[in-house]
Amino acid sequence: MSLTEETLLKGIGVSPGIVIGPARVLIPDVSRVSSRAIEADEVSHEQKRFRMALKETRAQLVHIRKQVAEVLDEEHARIFDAHMLVVEDELLVSEVEKAVEVERTNVEPLLQRIALSYADKLAGLEDQYLAGRATDIRDVTRRILANLAEEAVESLRDIESPCVLVSTDLLPSDTAGLDTKKVQAFITDLGSANSHTAIMARALNVPAVVGLRSATAAVHPDDLLLVDGAKGVVFIRPSEARLADYAERSRHQAVIRQELDLLRDKPPETLDGYHVPLTANIELLEELEGVDAGGAKGIGLYRTEFLFLGSDSLPDEDEQTAAYIKAAQSQYPAPVVIRTLDLGADKMPDSMERRREMNPFLGLRAIRLCLDRPELFCVQLRAILRASVHENVRLMYPMVTGVAEVKEANALLHQCMNELTEKGIPFNREIEVGTMIEVPSAALVADKIAPHVRFFSLGTNDLIQYSMAVDRGNEDVAHLYQPTNLAVIRLIDHVVKVCRRFGLWSTICGQMASTPHLVPLLVGLGVDELSVSPVQAPLIKDVIRKLYYADAVELAQRALISDTSEEVEAHCVNMIVDVAPEVLALTE
Ligand code: PEP
Ligand code: MG
């Protein structure tokens, strides 16, 4: 390949935006530490040097944690508590010290070998959460090695001119230290959409593409890069034609975005007057601002487990109450649906012990974990109840599979109500309770669950995964993950009909609702509300406002008798081409 030829890399877009800039390649070079034999009388000196480097590293981490808490928030800062645990891991430290004594070698190669073997073992695990801890170990090891070498760890804040950062795996501490005026985007070989780094990128609003596999090998320093964070693609040394195309695309997108911003206060209503309330999905409280800016009203899904992730202690009842009240107040009087913990599978906080599971997504996840640990669940239920003095608060259970779980969860809820009453703590006894429908069994027995709840929220991310037996995070089977599969459409249709029969409210909060070309289909199936990611809200509102409800119903009827997913996709895309082609310019 010539050094002037354009090269395309495809990865996972985790933070949207188009950026063109020179590459700054940063490969933490912990691979080249040199090894030297030491004398017996040098052993204690070498061990002391190691302890000093650990102390220095600990001090740096305390400093970074403080900075992150100031610049971002406490939730993000807690990530560095996990790093601190590595420095304070006595097993690791004593293994390295013992190796210095036994092998009579300087500490650097021993630390590297031992720490990285821990990291490699973790990285090899299927459990995405534990695999993510490998990144923490590598990050901290790099830092300790740099301190042993008495070099300052390269600070990304020292980058002097605007660039696109290229790295094997940009670590959470690196991301937190980014000067976003200089680092205009970043791309990495490794990473997933749910990593701490991805969360940080979105929180900082830095376009990012991860999981590119070969970015550090393919990009040369100062290569010009074009990053498209929405599509998850990177062009190395983009051609003149590509640059011209993207410059035009950026201009065009900016104009469209400006026009869509004007919809902020307009109702999400079809041309023939059918109202489809648009609410938002949030994971972090700082996303609340974006909810109003995007034109959604209320929260259809607050993924509360993100309060727990990256923390070395579980948020107590008061902390949780404060977070839920903040969300409720920000949206009042629009509803705020607080989903109880969906921990387990890929989302497990450091602070919780758990047994290794063969199939974590089919294991002790969400409501199952909460019913297994009622002491944990009840703290959250009481916190939500306490926040329910703001009467817009609603409560929702995730990953319900049938009526028994709902009854058991409701019994605990009533027990918590009684506890609060005894203590004279106010709450809303009429709080609306709903369940997610994200497991086919729950969809099929929705009529049995309906009498126990007030609303259903269809979590299509999991509903597709569980009905089609396709791991939602596995690239190798991504082609089988089909939102427009007839099985999925029938399940949605069935649940909506049950809702109508029982007078329940239906929402879709899975990614399908944030996907513009699928919106007419969902509206046509009769879903009452769409809960979408805040940045997508303007696009979704635009589609709703350009649509005739009658056409959407016709599309849904056609989908319900279609043979293939491709056929339905084609009908959906054609409708968008007809009614709102401008949104395609933002997503394609
Ligand atoms: C879903 O499964 O569609 C959903 C909204 O829940 P989560 O993505 O948090 O699993
Ligand atoms: Mg889900």
Side-chain angles (χ1 to χ4, degrees), residues 301 303 339 347 365 436 438 459-462 472 509-510:
L301 169 65
R303 291 179 162 107
R339 178 174 78 178
K347 293 183 278 192
R365 178 184 170 193
M436 301 267 307
E438 44 190 349
T460 46
N461 302 339
D462 279 314
R472 68 192 250 189
C509 62

